[in-house]
């Protein structure tokens, strides 16, 4: 019985850490998009909307597709 509590506690902490990392990544990509001078005004607004409304999926898309190297 104690094993279930330990596994549940570990899963809870792991889930919390993943949520924190995902939120930090989302905020980082949103700020990067807004401050990216290499994007035109319309493109910047479009990417910001995608990141804002699609959260981590939008942030991942922007990270791999939208950011200029």
């Amino acid at each position: 019985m104690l094993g279930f509590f330990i596994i549940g506690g570990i899963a809870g902490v792991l889930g919390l850490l993943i949520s924190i990392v995902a939120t930090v990544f989302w905020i980082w990509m949103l700020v990067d998009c807004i401050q990216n001078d290499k994007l035109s005004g319309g493109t910047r607004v479009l990417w910001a909307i995608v990141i804002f409304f699609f959260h981590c999926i939008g942030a991942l898309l922007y990270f791999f597709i939208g950011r200029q190297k």
Side-chain angles (χ1 to χ4, degrees):
M1 194 67 154
L2 181 62
F4 289 118
F5 290 117
I6 293 173
I7 291 172
I10 292 172
V13 169
L14 185 62
L16 179 64
L17 288 175
I18 290 171
S19 297
I20 291 170
V21 168
T23 301
V24 168
F25 178 71
W26 177 73
I27 292 170
W28 173 36
M29 287 298 104
L30 190 59
V31 170
D32 184 75
C33 173
I34 292 169
Q35 294 180 346
N36 191 346
D37 292 333
K38 295 178 183 175
L39 296 175
S40 67
T43 306
R44 185 180 307 155
V45 170
L46 181 64
W47 272 115
I49 290 170
V50 168
I51 295 168
F52 187 79
F53 285 110
F54 292 103
H55 299 280
C56 288
I57 302 284
L60 283 170
L61 286 172
Y62 174 74
F63 183 77
F64 288 113
I65 299 171
R67 292 179 75 196
Q68 302 289 333
K69 301 293 180 196

